[in-house]
Amino acid sequence: CGAYFSLAKPREHEPTFPSESDLREVSSILEMSKGTMSLLAFAGDKEILFSERRDGFLMWRKWGGCVIELGDPEGASDSLAELCWKFREIAEETSKICVFYGISSGMIPYVMDLGLRFFKIGEEGIVDLESFSISGSKARGLRGGVNRVQRAGVTFRILEIDEVSRRIAELRSVSDEWLAQKNTSEKCFSIGFFQEAYVTRFRCAVAEQEGSIIGFANIFESRSRYELSVDLMRYRNDVPNGVMDFLFIKLFEWGRDHGYKTFSLGMAPLAGLPKNPLAPYYAKLANVVYRHGGHFYNFDGLRKYKDKFNPTWQPRYLACPSGLYLPIVLSNVSTLISGGFKGLVKK
């Protein structure tokens, strides 16, 4: 690894999280974005690297022996290569392993120029909203579930941002009950966490029963009205069976009616990786490392759950200098996502 790391004394790096001014610039850059993943920048738990002209950005964190970039960089096409190289230079200056996590196939030409290797780590489920329907025999199960939830007196509604602020205590109560039920703590980095300043930036889809919120999802909307998604999805212990399906389906229909083209179900880690004994080394290693963290997420169950909505699955990749780094990289990424820096979340 000597050829990769700088021979000079590594630069000490103190993380600088985005200011409100930075986030206003992020918001401006995202005006023309088709995707929604970069809205995770507003969680405030990642550093923001801007292009020289500040017409593009990427999100990243230093963790353990790695600097880890999240998702596709955003902005003008001629700023993407610049951002990738600037991030590569940060890794060099700090003597850390350069990692791009969760990037799409569209980033391969940019990241390949950095001398990094690509490893498939999962797939993102994309629902075509224009063709989505719960009519017909194939959608009988989904339609029946929605009808059962509605018969239990559950209704769907979109809370505008001002109402999210007014009902934040009720939303927090639902979130706290969900965390306790799952016997888990907040995650971070590639997932948002319940913090008032973050949750109140977005509209929220809610399932209500007798006027009380029993489940919710904060809504990610691309400014171009192309993609819709959610981050946090949480519900109370005693909700009618199928409330989350109900929320998803009602959001699909709401998005379609408001001109959105697709809905991202997010990435299912390990999805699409070969499990054959002859599978590549990285696939076997990814299975071992992620399953070691299986008490955080049921990865098999997550893929099966999302499959019921008949999405198209698109590959997502991890890039790093060599397969030799994978044990360190996968361990650091897994720990970071699983809430490795809880002190920041509690602020």
Side-chain angles (χ1 to χ4, degrees), residues 4 22 32 37 68 104 129 167 198 211 222 270 280 285 303 311:
Y4 175 73
D22 292 330
M32 299 307 295
M37 188 176 187
I68 306 166
S104 71
L129 294 182
R167 301 185 72 176
Y198 174 61
S222 65
L270 306 182
L285 180 62
R303 169 62 187 254

Side-chain angles (χ1 to χ4, degrees), residues 49-58 73-74 76-90 100 107 110-111 113-114:
L49 177 66
F50 288 101
S51 61
E52 198 67 35
R53 296 198 307 263
R54 299 184 83 83
D55 59 353
F57 74 93
L58 58 75
E74 292 280 0
S77 58
D78 58 354
S79 71
L80 299 183
E82 175 202 331
L83 282 165
C84 291
W85 276 108
K86 285 181 74 172
F87 184 66
R88 170 68 174 78
E89 288 164 6
I90 289 173
F100 287 78
M107 285 304 300
Y110 298 98
V111 179
D113 286 345
L114 308 183

Side-chain angles (χ1 to χ4, degrees), residues 122-310:
E123 294 179 332
E124 179 185 10
I126 304 293
V127 176
D128 180 354
L129 294 182
E130 294 179 312
S131 63
F132 179 80
S133 173
I134 57 172
S135 300
S137 58
K138 289 185 178 180
R140 185 184 298 114
L142 293 177
R143 186 170 61 253
V146 168
N147 291 337
R148 282 193 301 274
V149 171
Q150 290 181 151
R151 284 196 298 270
V154 178
T155 57
F156 170 84
R157 196 155 68 88
I158 300 293
L159 302 185
E160 298 298 329
I161 290 175
D162 60 343
E163 192 170 3
V164 173
S165 296
R166 291 197 301 271
R167 301 185 72 176
I168 192 67
E170 191 176 357
L171 293 168
R172 180 179 290 281
S173 174
V174 173
S175 177
D176 289 346
E177 190 171 317
W178 184 87
L179 290 168
Q181 174 193 11
K182 300 294 183 182
N183 192 28
T184 189
S185 59
E186 296 280 13
K187 308 300 182 284
C188 42
F189 189 65
S190 66
I191 306 167
F193 46 88
F194 197 99
Q195 189 176 55
E196 183 171 340
Y198 174 61
V199 174
T200 55
R201 287 184 181 272
F202 308 102
R203 292 197 278 189
C204 191
V206 298
E208 292 180 309
Q209 194 173 40
E210 298 180 353
S212 297
I213 297 173
I214 61 171
F216 74 87
N218 60 327
I219 307 173
F220 278 2
E221 306 172 62
S222 65
R223 307 290 172 76
S224 62
R225 282 189 176 268
Y226 186 84
E227 183 176 277
L228 196 65
S229 187
V230 296
D231 182 24
L232 307 178
M233 288 197 78
R234 299 182 176 181
Y235 50 89
R236 294 200 181 277
N237 296 341
D238 56 352
V239 299
N241 187 40
V243 159
M244 286 296 100
D245 289 4
F246 169 80
L247 262 181
F248 266 127
I249 291 166
K250 289 298 182 181
L251 264 173
F252 296 164
E253 295 173 341
W254 180 87
R256 180 194 60 208
D257 294 344
H258 285 76
Y260 290 91
K261 308 299 182 186
T262 64
F263 190 103
S264 172
L265 295 171
M267 188 176 75
L270 306 182
L273 269 66
K275 297 179 175 62
N276 189 283
L278 299 178
Y281 154 77
Y282 83 87
K284 297 175 183 176
L285 180 62
N287 274 282
V288 169
V289 173
Y290 273 118
R291 293 192 191 289
H292 180 68
H295 58 289
F296 298 117
Y297 291 102
N298 176 1
F299 293 120
D300 287 336
L302 186 62
R303 169 62 187 254
K304 291 174 183 175
Y305 177 79
K306 293 178 179 182
D307 258 336
K308 72 170 70 176
F309 303 113
N310 195 32

Side-chain angles (χ1 to χ4, degrees), residues 99-105 108 111 116-125 266-275 279-291 303 312-320 322-323 326 329-330 333:
V99 180
F100 287 78
Y101 177 77
I103 56 177
S104 71
S105 55
I108 290 178
V111 179
L116 305 183
R117 287 194 60 193
F118 287 84
F119 306 91
K120 184 178 177 182
I121 54 165
E123 294 179 332
E124 179 185 10
M267 188 176 75
L270 306 182
L273 269 66
K275 297 179 175 62
Y281 154 77
Y282 83 87
K284 297 175 183 176
L285 180 62
N287 274 282
V288 169
V289 173
Y290 273 118
R291 293 192 191 289
R303 169 62 187 254
T312 299
W313 291 97
Q314 299 180 357
R316 286 281 172 171
Y317 298 93
L318 178 149
C320 65
S322 164
L326 275 175
V329 169
L330 290 173
V333 169

